[in-house]
Amino acid sequence: MDVRKIKKLYYDVKKCLGCRSCEIACALAHSQNRELIASVKAGTLALPRKKVCFAKGKSYPVSCRHCREPKCVDACMAAAITFDAEKGLVVHDDTRCVGCWMCVMACPYGAIRPNLKAKLPVRCDMCPDEEEPACVKGCPTKAVIWQEEKR
Amino acid sequence: MSRVEDKSIDKATQEMLRRAKDENITVSWDRLESQSPQCGFGQLGTCCTICNMGPCRIDPFGEGATVGVCGANADAIAARNLARKIAVGTAAHSDHGRDVAHTLAHIAHHQGNKTAGGGHSHDYEIIDTEKFKKLASEFGVDTSKPQGQIAAELSAKLLGEFGKQDGELELLRRAPKKRQEIWRNLGICPRGIDREVVELLHTTTMGVDNDYKNIIKNGMRCALADGWGGSMIATDVQDVILGSPRPIRGRVNLGVLKEKYVNVVVHGHEPVLSDMVVRASKDPELVKFAKSVGADGINLAGICCTANEVLMRHGIPIAGNFLQQELAIITGAVEVMIVDVQCIMPALHEVASCFHTKLVTTSSKARFPGVEHIEFSQEKAYEIAKQIIRLAVENFRNRKKERVNIPKHEMDLVAGFTKDVIFQMLGGRYRATYRPLSDAIISGRLRGLAGVVGCNNPKQTHDYYHTALVKELIKNDVLVLQTGCAAIACAKQGLLVPEAAKAYAGKGLQEICEAVGIPPVLHLGACVDNSRILTAASHIIEEGGLGEDLSDIPAAGCAPEWMSEKAIAIGFYFVASGVYTVFGASPFATLGSANLTEYLTKELEGVVGGRFEFCDDPLKMAELMIEHIDKKRKALKLKPWMYAR
């Protein structure tokens, strides 16, 4: 596949209101029951893989950029994180993860967080089974953009 | 939810939704879609906008902020938000009650003037004199005085209930003694209606009450001021000045709009105006005018609770419930839609602008930009009503015949059951008593009672939750009492006719319905008339045999498709009166606080005898309600349900 055809997440920071709806949409997309009320009731609400950060009066969503030269892959001693060049995705194999958090340390964007309970890193997987990542639809101001990479 | 069948089970609604789509008209279901996904913090109740240090949000994932800038945690934030909604709901019902009490004061004023030789006639009068005197004596007014004087003293006392600072609301005394004791011990007897609303709002402002249990306690006191105060006053005084409803046949659904007639729709909540509109629509001069413009006459229909009010008192047909307000206009056959207060979608103006329909606002409390406003005044009520009807007749000429598309669907119903009428139906006119009803429950022929009330909400399949739940309840021999848009929903599906008993009810309920000729589902009126359910339940306790307190009765309440803040106030006055109450759709934005949710759904039962349950499946709701009813039957050591399967 032509790498240029791979779609990526972009953000129009001017449109981001910092409402954190993308966080909730992301968490629901990764929860067993994909509905907020039911997930909270059942206590199965997953952690969001995306976080809205605030700096210098601006807010912007941060999630894994699926770098073509991923620092986390280099840092992973268990080879749990790999880069799938064909799909343009950084993927990880939970079964291999030893919970050393080196990926968390190495990510230059702070896009990987540790899930201390599950002892696994929390990182965007681009919702591989869906048409588009959940945060795209979840954004009320369309600040989250899902389009082909322009080089 | 793109299929119309998923949006509503009502055929007329489905037809109009298809038409709206064809004509590119946006309705509430479309707007819900463009609002989705809705804000998660709002849904969980953990967004606080009370002060300007915020807005603050509590992180639902437990990773971020656990308290707001002021230090309030999720419990305090969710409870304060909820309490504010109780205050608003109470304010809405009670302000309605105040207006009605004012009308009584006007009647007194005019009667006083008349006896003094001067003054002019008034459009309102005291119609149910029996109820008038009963109410007056409840308030300690000497009923041997002339009518005008009683009205003056009674209205002063009623209005006094709103501004009272101390003591207890007068109508609390209608509750069983034991219930009053529970309230007193908890310190939740409302003192004055306005005071409770103001005080609750005060306690929820920045830096006041942070104890969620105390916030809910004060919330319950405020809600009781609605159920046993504002709402009850509204219901009772409306019966006095507009007449107490009697069982009456009517028709329901959009099919009641007539192609060859000038169609006028009343929508909103206060019957003081709509009652006059009913009179004006029959005015020979206006009917003649209608005929002169080529119509066969004037056809009046209602939407929402004002529809229930004019149906119960005059048999005026109901065009639909809350979610059908826009659809009525989309028939292209409505000349004028008159609105007053509450549940009127701001979107109506835009929908009306797609047709010849004129939207007319009448209350100074509810203005819509760009909409014709004809302000209602009690002084000139009939004149104003005639003016609006005239406007409708004049607008008939502008109707585009080719755009008229009235769905053929309509249904019969019987409405007009009040606490007094239930007496008479069951006991007979000469031995009016609740005995037969109580006996039916005691013997197990009736399993119990259920109140199914509330609104519509596009988040749920319109009317489905109401009807599926009610059908399941009556199948299990539970007699269902309904008000508001819930009653309209079931009426459209044919559940409010005596014949429905044979088709849907269990054997025990069938026997009762056949013996006294009532439907298995009783329509008690508008949402403000939920107070009728409280008084009816108190009468059941008075009759004896079913315990000493409202919480002892094998009964449960439910608002399956609720959306309004008024529903929250109603839920709280029912729970604070000891009733197990199930709410559908999304819970009251409390899930962001596990403690508050636990308190409302579990612990509260130990405090006031009633508690909440949140559930989004109608059959499961029925199961929960019946389970509670059976629990109460067991506690009373009643015989088992007679026709248990």
Side-chain angles (χ1 to χ4, degrees):
Chain A
M1 194 194 265
D2 185 348
V3 176
R4 277 171 302 181
K5 285 268 160 86
I6 290 169
K7 281 190 172 179
K8 291 212 155 182
L9 283 172
Y10 296 91
Y11 306 101
D12 184 345
V13 180
K14 277 184 274 176
K15 285 187 184 167
C16 179
L17 300 177
C19 72
R20 300 168 66 192
S21 295
C22 55
E23 285 185 23
I24 300 213
C26 175
L28 291 178
H30 296 91
S31 298
Q32 262 175 351
N33 189 326
R34 296 187 162 209
E35 204 267 321
L36 180 65
I37 304 294
S39 298
V40 174
K41 262 183 162 176
T44 55
L45 186 65
L47 288 177
R49 291 156 186 237
K50 166 174 240 109
K51 278 274 162 183
V52 179
C53 295
F54 301 88
K56 294 184 182 169
K58 278 185 187 160
S59 54
Y60 46 92
V62 171
S63 64
C64 176
R65 297 179 170 216
H66 298 271
C67 312
R68 218 166 292 111
E69 285 165 14
K71 298 273 189 275
C72 53
V73 173
D74 294 344
C76 184
M77 62 174 171
I81 310 186
T82 49
F83 182 65
D84 182 336
E86 198 184 315
K87 289 181 183 156
L89 286 181
V90 172
V91 288
H92 69 255
D93 179 353
D94 287 353
T95 58
R96 295 189 71 109
C97 176
V98 295
C100 70
W101 308 134
M102 282 313 290
C103 54
V104 177
M105 304 278 286
C107 177
Y109 304 105
I112 311 180
R113 288 174 301 128
N115 177 347
L116 297 172
K117 253 194 225 154
K119 296 219 161 55
L120 285 169
V122 186
R123 197 182 52 80
C124 168
D125 60 357
M126 291 273 196
C127 297
D129 306 327
E130 306 294 329
E131 263 175 44
E132 60 178 12
C135 51
V136 180
K137 208 173 270 160
C139 179
T141 59
K142 306 218 162 26
V144 183
I145 300 157
W146 173 239
Q147 66 179 31
E148 279 167 26
E149 194 174 13
K150 286 178 191 147
R151 300 181 71 190
Chain B
M1 257 212 231
S2 51
R3 284 169 7 124
V4 292
E5 289 80 6
D6 296 330
K7 291 178 179 168
S8 175
I9 57 160
D10 173 45
K11 293 273 186 288
T13 300
Q14 292 175 357
E15 211 174 305
M16 283 299 103
L17 284 175
R18 278 191 205 102
R19 175 154 196 225
K21 199 176 171 212
D22 288 347
E23 301 218 359
N24 223 353
I25 300 169
T26 307
V27 292
S28 49
W29 285 270
D30 307 312
R31 294 189 295 270
L32 172 64
E33 222 157 275
S34 49
Q35 276 299 327
S36 304
Q38 292 176 319
C39 174
F41 297 92
Q43 287 183 63
L44 296 176
T46 47
C47 169
C48 180
T49 58
I50 286 174
C51 85
N52 200 31
M53 295 192 290
C56 295
R57 287 167 298 176
I58 304 303
D59 188 292
F61 309 111
E63 295 180 319
T66 54
V67 291
V69 178
C70 69
N73 61 12
D75 303 340
I77 291 175
R80 288 195 305 212
N81 288 342
L82 184 59
R84 286 182 164 217
K85 291 178 190 166
I86 299 174
V88 177
T90 302
H93 285 139
S94 301
D95 208 34
H96 171 171
R98 186 202 320 272
D99 282 351
V100 182
H102 267 301
T103 309
L104 183 66
H106 272 263
I107 295 174
H109 179 68
H110 285 273
Q111 288 203 350
N113 277 353
K114 243 193 285 180
T115 43
H120 48 284
S121 69
H122 193 267
D123 294 331
Y124 299 97
E125 52 191 334
I126 285 156
I127 292 181
D128 189 339
T129 47
E130 195 186 323
K131 189 155 189 176
F132 170 60
K133 287 194 173 160
K134 228 180 192 170
L135 188 64
S137 59
E138 259 183 284
F139 277 87
V141 176
D142 177 5
T143 52
S144 62
K145 291 179 183 169
Q147 198 185 56
Q149 207 172 334
I150 304 175
E153 287 180 29
L154 176 60
S155 58
K157 291 223 168 176
L158 289 169
L159 290 167
E161 293 291 281
F162 291 88
K164 226 157 73 172
Q165 299 302 317
D166 295 300
E168 291 172 5
L169 291 185
E170 207 60 41
L171 294 175
L172 293 183
R173 283 187 297 164
R174 285 189 181 175
K177 289 253 149 36
K178 194 169 167 194
R179 178 54 34 185
Q180 293 181 36
E181 276 315 302
I182 294 171
W183 291 335
R184 256 170 230 130
N185 291 338
L186 286 169
I188 56 169
C189 288
R191 297 147 297 186
I193 300 164
D194 291 354
R195 176 172 180 182
E196 301 312 340
V197 174
V198 171
E199 192 173 304
L200 187 58
L201 289 174
H202 171 203
T203 64
T204 61
T205 193
M206 191 273 142
V208 186
D209 202 353
N210 297 302
D211 176 357
Y212 67 95
K213 291 186 184 177
N214 199 46
I215 294 169
I216 295 305
K217 186 184 121 184
N218 289 332
M220 289 195 292
R221 182 167 55 194
C222 180
L224 288 172
D226 176 356
W228 298 86
S231 281
M232 208 171 260
I233 289 174
T235 299
D236 279 33
V237 179
Q238 278 170 191
D239 286 354
V240 167
I241 64 176
L242 306 173
S244 288
R246 301 259 145 230
I248 189 166
R249 271 197 180 264
R251 307 277 290 161
V252 60
N253 217 345
L254 293 170
V256 303
L257 298 171
K258 294 183 189 162
E259 204 172 331
K260 291 185 176 151
Y261 281 69
V262 172
N263 289 305
V264 180
V265 174
V266 285
H267 170 28
H269 283 77
E270 298 189 350
V272 177
L273 164 68
S274 50
D275 223 76
M276 280 300 138
V277 176
V278 174
R279 244 169 77 186
S281 71
K282 291 173 183 159
D283 190 295
E285 185 200 329
L286 288 170
V287 174
K288 211 171 129 194
F289 180 36
K291 288 187 174 155
S292 76
V293 298
D296 282 2
I298 301 164
N299 179 41
L300 189 67
I303 299 258
C304 270
C305 280
T306 213
N308 288 321
E309 304 271 12
V310 290
L311 162 76
M312 303 244 295
R313 295 195 176 89
H314 305 286
I316 300 298
I318 295 184
N321 50 10
F322 174 69
L323 280 181
Q324 288 176 291
Q325 53 185 285
E326 296 170 278
L327 309 182
I329 295 176
I330 296 175
T331 61
V334 175
E335 272 59 55
V336 158
M337 183 179 270
I338 310 166
V339 298
D340 51 23
V341 289
Q342 300 170 19
C343 300
I344 299 147
M345 290 192 189
L348 282 183
H349 178 41
E350 205 180 315
V351 178
S353 69
C354 301
F355 295 88
H356 74 299
T357 308
K358 274 209 166 105
L359 187 64
V360 177
T361 53
T362 55
S363 167
S364 61
K365 295 169 195 167
R367 298 281 300 257
F368 292 54
V371 168
E372 179 151 5
H373 185 74
I374 301 177
E375 192 147 321
F376 173 67
S377 105
Q378 290 162 336
E379 296 288 339
K380 297 184 210 150
Y382 190 55
E383 213 173 289
I384 291 163
K386 283 207 302 193
Q387 187 190 345
I388 300 171
I389 296 283
R390 199 168 295 123
L391 188 74
V393 176
E394 281 162 7
N395 197 23
F396 184 72
R397 284 181 245 255
N398 300 325
R399 187 198 283 186
K400 291 198 175 62
K401 281 208 179 87
E402 65 282 6
R403 292 195 72 198
V404 173
N405 190 346
I406 304 170
K408 293 281 171 281
H409 307 280
E410 55 179 318
M411 182 57 78
D412 279 315
L413 83 152
V414 179
F417 296 91
T418 61
K419 67 171 200 326
D420 315 277
V421 172
I422 301 174
F423 256 121
Q424 286 181 356
M425 293 294 279
L426 294 163
R429 191 170 287 272
Y430 299 103
R431 46 183 187 92
T433 158
Y434 270 80
R435 193 75 248 160
L437 177 64
S438 299
D439 282 346
I441 298 174
I442 292 166
S443 67
R445 185 163 275 122
L446 267 189
R447 198 164 179 178
L449 301 172
V452 178
V453 304
C455 334
N456 299 139
N457 188 333
K459 288 183 185 175
Q460 294 160 306
T461 307
H462 171 232
D463 290 350
Y464 166 69
Y465 282 68
H466 288 303
T467 31
L469 166 64
V470 167
K471 277 185 187 165
E472 188 65 19
L473 288 172
I474 59 178
K475 193 172 97 188
N476 283 284
D477 287 337
V478 175
L479 179 67
V480 177
L481 312 178
Q482 288 208 284
T483 61
C485 289
I488 303 177
C490 291
K492 284 187 284 176
Q493 303 300 321
L495 295 172
L496 268 62
V497 284
E499 301 81 58
K502 206 155 184 80
Y504 303 107
K507 205 169 167 214
L509 182 55
Q510 250 183 50
E511 285 171 3
I512 288 168
C513 291
E514 274 167 28
V516 285
I518 54 169
V521 183
L522 302 180
H523 187 335
L524 271 73
C527 51
V528 84
D529 293 331
N530 279 317
S531 57
R532 293 192 204 273
I533 300 181
L534 296 177
T535 20
S538 303
H539 281 300
I540 291 171
I541 293 299
E542 225 168 83
E543 193 58 50
L546 287 172
E548 297 174 332
D549 175 36
L550 300 175
S551 67
D552 295 336
I553 306 174
C558 185
E561 297 182 25
W562 76 282
M563 61 88 206
S564 165
E565 285 167 320
K566 292 183 291 171
I568 296 183
I570 294 169
F572 269 93
Y573 71 64
F574 270 103
V575 165
S577 301
V579 182
Y580 171 77
T581 305
V582 185
F583 268 65
S586 38
F588 311 142
T590 58
L591 280 177
S593 159
N595 288 334
L596 177 62
T597 308
E598 175 88 3
Y599 188 62
L600 295 174
T601 56
K602 295 206 174 87
E603 289 170 51
L604 213 47
E605 191 164 17
V607 182
V608 285
R611 68 179 175 93
F612 285 104
E613 189 76 74
F614 303 115
C615 175
D616 52 9
D617 170 7
L619 297 182
K620 177 82 185 153
M621 286 171 188
E623 195 187 310
L624 289 166
M625 291 166 80
I626 291 167
E627 214 169 83
H628 179 81
I629 285 170
D630 286 347
K631 183 176 106 182
K632 292 294 171 185
R633 291 190 68 87
K634 214 169 159 193
L636 286 168
K637 300 196 171 62
L638 299 181
K639 284 181 208 157
W641 174 32
M642 196 180 277
Y643 296 108
R645 278 186 290 270

